[in-house]
């Protein structure tokens, strides 16, 4: 099928239009000059259905599918800059309408994942950038003489060097986080203290584990434990094999167990026989 | 009325549903949980049903066992239809024999009358013998043996026919000097000549009676399609009461030295040596009928006894005990059953299973080499005493005449092997294991898989010299020149004495019974294959390099010196004693395991004149695969111990660390090195600075792009638990920050207080100690709990497993526990490390190492040691590895969980519960289920793999590798290239990515170690100041991670992390189906128009180029080998 596709593509290349799904246009992209075949970016203007929320700016955002792993934010920004000034580029695992939180993630606690094929949201400064990108001819080159992109051994070595953490920076970050956290916890506590013993508008008083008479936390495990204790208490009181009918039932139960076991065994044997497992040699 | 009817209709529907599902189920061969309706379960029992249930309870162990035994018997018993066909054939044979013409009397040595097409089936040495021979048709032809008794088993049905020779053929002194045997052979030769011309027979061959080469017999097989149905064996025997029994006592001589040795008697008054074996062989011929009568009166009375004998025969056959001269054959076991019936140990109402059990129990408790038994009831004083027999034979079991020792040819070793097997089987039967039947009767135990070490004596002709050296002339005279069987007994005794405490059991293969064409001479003794000895080692005895002898001034010292020869020397010991002693050179565990090799070659050369070129010792061939790149004297156990010792030091330092806000509550190892299962143990890292880039401010080294990849140093993970405290935050993110702070503090303190080079990150601290690098992970016990907490809208806190919590729990709780348990296992079984590493090496060499994780392989290996039935725990890597392959390939992973009862913590009831739970939850469980006491569901270690395809592939590979390897090891001329089964087949892959050895840090660990590789920047000598070496930097692994992330849903990638030079790529067929366009699945695909539609297909050409781009510098070539993707 691919072979057939290849032939088709050759035909269409001469016509100057690449096959692309409805609404998208295909832009070939290669790592560098040396490569023969290219991947295809499928781009279109970012639009959402009526009523759906999206934080990406309307008209100015370009939605890009199938960004190859060696293509970073910077490369994509550079490649699309001929179409117009690029405001921001965001690469994501899968399409997501909400912009990711702006504050940068800690590089110590959220190491960069190994890149695969991703999607990108490119925001241009003007809507004309999007239009220009849609008719881009390509092929785009990720790594050029002037802007080489590292891959293979060179990339791994620089990744390794980056991963050797700076303990001072880590300490500073941890301290800052914990300070903020402690403050938050302290605030909550004072708030809880303020509410302690004070009835709300309907007259209910909230009981917490920090109060004068602490209570068990409401967990599922705790409630299960209580139920289990109740059951045991009941079971202790029950008489077994006391009445004749109980006796009869126990016997019947035993027989039923044997029957069930027998049925299981028969099935097992059936299976073994089917696998010819009874030929000793 | 109506509801009942409705119920019945529903019932019927259910029944039909089940019926439909039953034929379907074997096809998919998956057990379904049994569903029985209430009515069926609780209906009134019938009498018949109750009887059967009661019978099962009394006569069998469980209903499953009963069904299994019944199935087996059905499978191996002869069907009535075939019996009829055999009956017809037997009548025809009978008529043919009667028609054979007689010949006139000639001298025994004048064999000119013998036609050209047939040779005498006997070695006539010395040739000259008195007496004359004539042929007359047999006086009587009777069927004897298991066929009549109904205890013969398929395949290879043999029918034994006794031909009574007429009185006229025999003469008075035929007992002497093999004359009877010569006549018997000539009788057969003449018969063979005439029968071979009959069109009735497909083949006419000679063979030996139970391997005794003085007693040939004739094999007849029908012509046509029945050729493999039956073999008729003709035994000539003397007329009843022809030989006087008093001449055949074990103390009597019937082969004269003057005749046998060809020299006139020296007349020095030395009495002739007795010939007990010779006498027995004659007696056996005379007693055929009476034995038959005895057995038929005993066995015909009860079906249970017949079943029992049949089961015992299968049991013996699986253990290879029944074949050859001195084998424990079906006849012997039938006689044993008869004996037990006569002593009332077995009752005729017993079931086959109970008979099996009673016989095994008897074998365990009775040592026939010391206390012989007898079927003879008469107290005639003229009969010889048991003691006489004990003097002449190693094993004594007399028949009802009191003259014939049924176990005459059985060696002590064979009997001890039988006892050993019986003991193992009894333990198995008593353990109430669910699969006892399978292990007892269905699992073959070939020698190479049962014994830790084996050795081949080849060529056999060497044993002739050994016979002379061991002064075995009388035995040779007795056995008629069969030096192989004559030398067996003394040889095994010699080796047993020499190996002493190192040995648990010594077994020997029995010379095979050849079968040859009637126009050929009988095969020579030296052509009877090879003699193979199996050694079951005692792990406790293996650690010593010393044989301690008696004190120098005691009389036993001379014996000791004589036994050990020049190896024995006087030594002074620390307690002041001066003793004779033998010291073997062995430094490592690998060499100590092979001390038996030294002992065997030394003793054989010294006492039996067998040079070491004839001793082919198979015990350590596979060890080469787990030896380090430049190591030849050790298999790495010592290096692992060194690393573990260093870890112990580190944990002491951690315990004693001052200044941590919380104290350390536990330090646990979590790395394969710390449970002795890392294939190649770490070596202390001494990096050369000039080879690396420096990162001065962090005191670390970095790899340089212009140099080859530096040596691979994998940090060993250690989990360090801190005490609980109310001060820990209750929020997952905050806990991570606090842990990071602890990591930093730990690094600081270790550097300050102990001067260790440390490097802290948010999740771990790397510590360099004595060249080993440890990765300390601080853990907080409640963290998985915190990750699991889910707040419901009502404010209830419930616990739900999340991927993060499961992962954390596995890494910080279950993995350390497993590591410590397996560490303990290694202390119990020193071979564990070797087996586990060999197994892992093999799986990785087959490029499947990443599909199956380390821990699950370690657990499968642990199962070999904890549940070795029907074997004993392996004591050498070789046998352990063979059993690993066999377990992997024969275990029914679909329908059974593999229970690994670590520390025997699981009780029998729990195991039953686990099994039934397993069936009910089968579809939700991983394909390979490993149950440990900590993990009753069995999904912790195999949740993420192997996938069904990988497991299937592994099973197939193991099933193919096992016979190849066993054949290699059983080849007496040496195993050839032992690495054959470790080389992966590469032709199944669609694309091969060739890597440059320059950037493969573990290049030298490859199965075929490269002759030359690159310098990895290591120094020989340690340096005073040390920087942190490059850690965990393995370009092929980084490359693979990228490939899997980018193309994981299009292809599978296979690689051997131990120096593999090639990555195998397999396209996933499903992802090559053209798909409609979807924004979420465009990864690496392109849109093409197919007909009217636009569909997506993988952009293969670009992907192939991506392979090269992503691995720039590492990838040498990308070979697309198949065009499968274009179809």
């Amino acid at each position: 099928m691919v072979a057939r596709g290849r032939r088709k593509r050759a035909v269409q290349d001469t016509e100057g239009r690449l096959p692309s799904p409805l609404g998208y246009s295909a832009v070939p992209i290669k790592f560098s000059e040396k490569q023969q075949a290219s991947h295809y970016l499928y781009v279109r203007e970012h639009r959402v259905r009526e009523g759906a929320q999206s934080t990406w700016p309307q008209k100015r955002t370009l939605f890009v599918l199938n960004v190859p792993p060696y293509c970073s934010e910077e490369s994509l920004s550079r490649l699309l800059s001929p179409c117009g000034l690029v405001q921001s580029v965001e690469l994501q695992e899968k399409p997501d309408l909400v912009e990711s939180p702006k504050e940068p993630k800690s590089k110590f606690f959220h190491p960069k994942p190994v890149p695969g094929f991703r999607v990108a949201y490119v925001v241009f400064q003007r809507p004309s950038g999007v239009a220009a990108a849609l008719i881009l001819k390509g092929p785009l080159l990720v790594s050029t003489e002037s802007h080489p992109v590292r891959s293979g051994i060179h990339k791994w070595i620089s990744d390794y060097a980056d991963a050797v953490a700076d303990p001072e920076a880590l300490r500073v970050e941890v301290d800052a986080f914990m300070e903020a956290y402690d403050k938050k916890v302290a605030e909550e506590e004072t708030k809880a203290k303020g509410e302690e013993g004070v009835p709300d508008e309907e007259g209910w008083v909230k009981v917490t584990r920090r109060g004068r008479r602490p209570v068990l936390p409401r967990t599922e495990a705790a409630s299960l434990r209580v139920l289990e204790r109740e059951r045991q208490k009941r079971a202790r009181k029950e008489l077994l094999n006391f009445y004749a009918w109980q006796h009869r039932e126990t016997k019947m139960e035993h027989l039923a167990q044997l029957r069930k076991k027998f049925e299981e065994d028969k099935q097992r044997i059936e299976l073994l026989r089917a696998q010819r497992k009874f030929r000793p040699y | 009325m109506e509801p009942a009817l409705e119920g019945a209709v529903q019932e019927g529907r259910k029944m039909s549903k089940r019926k439909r599902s039953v034929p379907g189920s074997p096809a998919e061969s998956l057990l379904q949980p049994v569903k029985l309706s209430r009515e069926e379960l609780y209906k009134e029992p019938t009498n018949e049903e109750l009887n059967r249930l009661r019978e099962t309870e009394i006569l069998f162990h469980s209903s499953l066992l009963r069904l299994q035994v019944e199935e087996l018997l059905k499978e191996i018993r002869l069907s009535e239809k075939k019996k009829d066909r055999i009956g017809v054939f037997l009548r025809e044979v009978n008529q043919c024999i009667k028609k054979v013409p007689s010949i006139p009397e000639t001298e025994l040595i004048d064999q000119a009358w013998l036609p050209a097409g047939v040779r005498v089936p006997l070695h006539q040495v010395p040739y000259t013998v008195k007496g004359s021979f004539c042929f007359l048709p047999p006086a009587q032809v009777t069927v004897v043996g298991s066929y009549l008794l109904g205890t013969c088993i398929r395949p290879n049905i043999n029918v034994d026919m006794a031909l009574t020779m007429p009185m006229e053929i025999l003469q008075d002194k035929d007992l002497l000097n093999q004359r009877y045997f010569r006549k018997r052979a000539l009788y057969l030769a003449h018969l063979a000549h005439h029968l071979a011309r009959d069109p009735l027979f497909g083949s006419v061959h000679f063979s030996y009676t139970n391997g005794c080469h003085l007693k040939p017999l004739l094999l007849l097989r029908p012509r046509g399609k029945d050729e493999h149905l039956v073999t008729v064996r003709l035994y000539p025997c003397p007329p009843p009461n022809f030989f006087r029994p008093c001449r055949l006592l074990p103390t009597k001589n019937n082969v004269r030295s003057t005749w046998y040795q060809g020299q006139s008697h020296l007349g020095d008054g030395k009495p002739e040596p007795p010939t007990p074996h010779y006498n027995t062989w004659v007696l056996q011929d005379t007693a055929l009928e009476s034995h038959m009568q005895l057995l038929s009166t005993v066995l015909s009375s009860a079906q249970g006894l017949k079943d029992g004998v049949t089961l015992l025969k299968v049991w013996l056959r699986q253990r290879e005990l029944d074949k050859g001269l001195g084998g424990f054959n079906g006849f012997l076991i039938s006689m044993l059953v008869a004996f037990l019936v006569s002593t009332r140990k077995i009752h005729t109402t017993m079931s086959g299973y109970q008979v099996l059990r009673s016989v095994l129990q008897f074998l365990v408790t009775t040592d026939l080499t010391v206390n012989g038994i007898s079927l003879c009831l008469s107290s005639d004083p003229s009969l010889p005493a048991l003691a006489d027999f004990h003097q002449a034979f190693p094993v004594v079991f007399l028949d009802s005449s009191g003259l014939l020792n049924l176990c005459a040819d059985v060696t002590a070793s064979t009997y001890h092997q039988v006892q050993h097997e019986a003991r193992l089987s009894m333990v198995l039967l008593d353990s109430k294991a669910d699969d006892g039947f399978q292990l007892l009767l269905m699992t073959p135990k070939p020698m190479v898989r049962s014994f830790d070490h084996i050795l081949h004596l080849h060529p056999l002709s060497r044993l002739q010299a050994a016979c002379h050296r061991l002064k075995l002339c009388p035995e040779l005279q007795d056995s008629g020149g069969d030096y192989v069987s004559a030398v067996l007994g003394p040889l095994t005794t010699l080796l047993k004495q020499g190996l002493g405490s190192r040995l648990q059991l010594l077994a020997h293969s029995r010379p095979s019974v050849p079968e040859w064409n009637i126009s050929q001479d009988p095969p020579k003794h030296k052509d009877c294959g090879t003699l193979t000895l199996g050694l079951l080692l005692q792990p406790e005895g293996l650690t010593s390099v010393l044989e301690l002898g008696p004190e120098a001034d005691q009389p036993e010292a001379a014996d000791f010196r004589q036994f050990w020869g020049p190896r024995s020397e006087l030594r002074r010991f620390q307690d002041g004693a001066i003793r004779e002693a033998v010291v073997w050179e062995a430094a490592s565990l690998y060499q100590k395991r092979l001390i038996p090799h030294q002992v065997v070659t030394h003793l054989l050369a010294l006492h039996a004149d067998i040079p070491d070129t004839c001793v082919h010792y198979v015990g350590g061939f596979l060890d080469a695969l787990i030896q380090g790149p430049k190591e030849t004297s050790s298999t790495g156990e010592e290096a692992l111990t060194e690393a573990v010792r260093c870890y112990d030091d580190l944990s002491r330092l951690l315990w004693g660390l001052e200044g941590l806000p919380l104290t350390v509550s536990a330090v646990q190892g979590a790395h394969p090195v710390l449970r002795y299962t890392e294939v190649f143990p770490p070596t202390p890292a001494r990096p050369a600075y000039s080879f690396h880039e420096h990162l001065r401010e962090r005191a670390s080294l970095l790899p340089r792009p212009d140099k080859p990849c530096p040596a691979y140093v994998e940090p060993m993970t250690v989990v360090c638990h801190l005490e609980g405290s109310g001060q820990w935050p209750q929020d997952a993110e905050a806990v991570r920050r606090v842990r990071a702070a602890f990591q930093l503090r730990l690094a600081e303190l270790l550097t300050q207080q102990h001067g260790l080079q440390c490097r802290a990150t948010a999740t771990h601290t790397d510590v360099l100690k004595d060249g080993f690098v440890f990765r300390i992970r601080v853990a907080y016990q409640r963290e998985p709990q915190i990750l699991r907490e889910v707040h419901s809208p009502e404010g209830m806190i419930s616990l739900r497993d999340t991927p993060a919590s499961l992962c954390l729990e596995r890494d910080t709780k279950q993995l350390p526990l497993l590591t410590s348990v397996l560490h303990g296992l290694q202390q119990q079984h020193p071979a564990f490390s070797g087996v586990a590493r060999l197994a892992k090496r093999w799986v990785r060499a087959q490029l499947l190492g990443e599909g199956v994780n380390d821990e699950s392989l370690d657990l499968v290996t642990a199962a070999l040691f904890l549940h070795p039935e029907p074997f004993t725990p392996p004591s050498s890597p070789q046998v352990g590895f063979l059993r690993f392959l066999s377990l992997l390939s024969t275990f029914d992973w679909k329908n059974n969980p593999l229970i690994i009862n670590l520390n025997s913590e699981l009780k029998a009831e729990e195991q039953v519960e686990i099994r039934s739970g397993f069936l009910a939850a089968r579809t939700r469980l991983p394909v390979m289920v490993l149950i440990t006491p900590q993990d009753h569901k069995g999904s912790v270690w195999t949740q993420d793999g192997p996938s069904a395809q990988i497991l299937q592939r592994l099973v197939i590979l193991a099933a193919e590798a096992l016979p190849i390897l066993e054949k290699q090891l059983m080849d007496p001329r040496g195993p050839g290239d032992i690495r054959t089964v470790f080389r992966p087949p590469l032709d199944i892959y669609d694309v091969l990515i060739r890597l440059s050895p320059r950037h493969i840090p573990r290049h030298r660990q490859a199965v075929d170690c490269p002759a030359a590789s690159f310098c990895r920047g290591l120094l020989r000598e340690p340096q005073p100041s040390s920087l942190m070496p490059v850690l965990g930097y393995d370009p092929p692994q980084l490359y693979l991670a990228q490939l899997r992330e980018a193309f994981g849903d299009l292809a599978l990638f296979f690689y051997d992390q131990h120096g593999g030079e090639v990555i195998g790529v397999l396209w996933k067929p499903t992802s090559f189906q053209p798909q409609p366009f979807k924004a979420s699945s465009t990864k690496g695909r392109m849109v093409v128009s197919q007909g009217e539609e636009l569909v997506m297909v993988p952009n293969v050409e670009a992907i192939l180029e991506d392979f090269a781009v992503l691995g720039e510098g590492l990838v040498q070539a990308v070979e697309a080998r198949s065009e499968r993707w274009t179809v």
Side-chain angles (χ1 to χ4, degrees), chain B residues 1056-1070:
Chain B
D1056 176 11
Q1057 65 199 76
H1058 296 296
E1061 284 185 46
V1062 71
I1063 295 178
V1065 185
L1066 216 52
W1067 300 121
K1068 288 186 181 172
T1070 48

Side-chain angles (χ1 to χ4, degrees), chain A residues 1 6 36-39 42 66 109 151 160 164 171 218 220 253 259 265 267 273 277 279-280, chain B residues 32 41-42 49 63 71 75 318 442 698 736 748 797 1031 1074 1084 1087 1099 1101 1105-1106 1109 1126:
Chain A
M1 268 158 237
R6 216 184 300 158
Q36 308 276 323
S38 47
H39 280 293
Y42 294 103
N66 202 21
F109 291 95
S151 78
Y160 182 84
V164 176
R171 187 189 317 279
R218 269 189 74 195
E220 202 179 31
E253 193 56 44
R259 272 179 185 155
D265 291 346
Q267 196 198 357
R273 197 188 295 150
K277 280 281 176 66
R279 286 261 164 90
Chain B
Q32 308 288 337
L41 270 180
Y42 294 99
E49 189 182 359
S63 64
E71 274 308 311
E75 184 68 38
Q318 296 289 23
M442 305 301 285
R698 317 263 161 80
R736 288 177 72 184
E748 228 167 70
I797 302 168
L1031 296 181
V1087 176
N1099 187 356
E1101 283 163 59
E1105 281 185 329
D1106 283 353
V1109 169
T1126 60

Side-chain angles (χ1 to χ4, degrees), chain B residues 944-989:
Chain B
D944 313 325
S947 63
Q949 293 85 350
I950 299 279
L951 183 65
Q952 177 67 12
R953 174 105 189 112
L954 210 52
V955 166
I956 292 175
L957 284 171
E960 276 176 21
L962 184 64
I964 295 177
L965 194 57
E966 284 190 345
K967 194 161 163 252
Q968 283 184 320
L969 293 177
M970 282 309 276
D971 191 341
R973 282 156 304 190
D977 188 1
I978 203 77
R979 290 165 199 263
T980 312
V981 296
F982 283 82
R983 295 197 190 99
L986 290 178
D987 45 349
I988 61 159
Y989 297 106

Side-chain angles (χ1 to χ4, degrees), chain A residues 35 67 76 128 189 215 240 260:
Chain A
Q35 273 68 39
V67 181
L76 200 59
S128 64
E189 236 166 73
V215 291
L240 288 173
K260 196 157 175 226

Side-chain angles (χ1 to χ4, degrees), chain A residues 101-222:
Chain A
K102 269 291 153 224
E103 81 235 42
K105 278 186 168 179
S106 156
K107 76 164 185 166
F108 299 114
F109 291 95
H110 302 277
K112 255 203 267 174
V114 180
F117 281 91
R118 289 161 297 178
V119 300
Y121 292 92
V122 182
V123 182
F124 287 97
Q125 296 217 330
R126 294 207 185 79
S128 64
V130 176
L134 286 175
I135 52 164
L136 210 56
K137 268 272 152 38
L140 306 175
L141 300 179
V142 176
S143 174
T144 56
E145 294 254 324
S146 52
H147 297 277
V149 169
R150 279 192 272 196
S151 78
I153 295 289
H154 290 273
K155 179 176 182 302
W156 298 323
I157 289 179
S158 72
D159 283 355
Y160 182 84
D162 288 345
V164 176
D166 179 2
E168 255 336 290
L170 177 59
R171 187 189 317 279
V172 169
E173 200 195 297
V174 167
D175 287 348
F177 183 94
M178 286 315 292
E179 210 168 300
Y181 177 78
D182 285 343
K183 219 157 101 190
K184 200 176 86 188
V185 170
E187 262 170 31
E188 271 173 21
E189 236 166 73
T190 45
K191 197 175 149 217
K193 213 169 221 171
E195 284 176 4
E196 173 84 37
V198 181
D200 63 4
E201 56 261 35
E202 285 179 34
W204 294 100
V205 178
K206 193 172 177 186
V207 187
T208 62
R209 71 188 174 108
R210 286 195 185 74
R212 215 148 32 89
R213 291 178 57 198
V215 291
L216 275 178
R218 269 189 74 195
T219 62
E220 202 179 31

Side-chain angles (χ1 to χ4, degrees), chain B residues 5-6 28 162 181 197 241 346 397 528 644 727 825 959 1010 1051 1088:
Chain B
L5 197 73
E6 206 176 275
E28 63 198 30
F181 291 122
R197 288 191 297 188
N241 305 326
I346 292 179
F397 173 25
C528 290
V644 171
Q727 299 294 310
L825 191 69
V1088 294

